[in-house]
Amino acid sequence: MGKIIAKNIVSRKSGFLYYVDGKGNVCEAKMARGGKKKKKVAKKKPAAKKKKAVSKKPAAKKKKVVKKKKR
């Protein structure tokens, strides 16, 4: 825990953290705030994919089964 060295020396802004660094200077850093949602960014639609020409193979011909007639 830190010690209070002197009061009302630095005019403070809300949302900033003030501390004394190793050299004895008073430093200001913006505080990180959790829980804020970012604005939604519209997603870019990918370019339409070109369909490849598919060569269709001719269907295999089915052999007709002929039943032999009994005499």
Side-chain angles (χ1 to χ4, degrees), residues 20-36:
V20 179
D21 66 0
K23 296 180 182 178
N25 300 322
V26 177
C27 297
E28 174 185 78
K30 190 167 185 177
M31 286 195 277
R33 302 286 185 186
K36 289 189 178 179

Side-chain angles (χ1 to χ4, degrees), residues 5-71:
I5 299 170
K7 289 187 176 184
N8 300 327
I9 293 180
V10 179
S11 59
R12 296 175 53 178
K13 301 175 196 171
S14 63
F16 286 89
L17 175 72
Y18 294 88
Y19 63 95
V20 179
D21 66 0
K23 296 180 182 178
N25 300 322
V26 177
C27 297
E28 174 185 78
K30 190 167 185 177
M31 286 195 277
R33 302 286 185 186
K36 289 189 178 179
K37 293 183 180 179
K38 294 182 179 179
K39 292 181 181 178
K40 289 186 180 181
V41 179
K43 293 183 181 179
K44 293 182 180 178
K45 292 183 180 179
K49 294 182 181 178
K50 293 181 180 178
K51 294 182 180 180
K52 292 182 181 179
V54 179
S55 61
K56 293 183 179 180
K57 294 181 181 178
K61 293 182 181 178
K62 293 182 180 179
K63 293 182 181 179
K64 293 183 180 179
V65 178
V66 180
K67 294 183 180 178
K68 293 183 180 179
K69 295 182 181 179
K70 291 183 182 177
R71 291 188 187 188

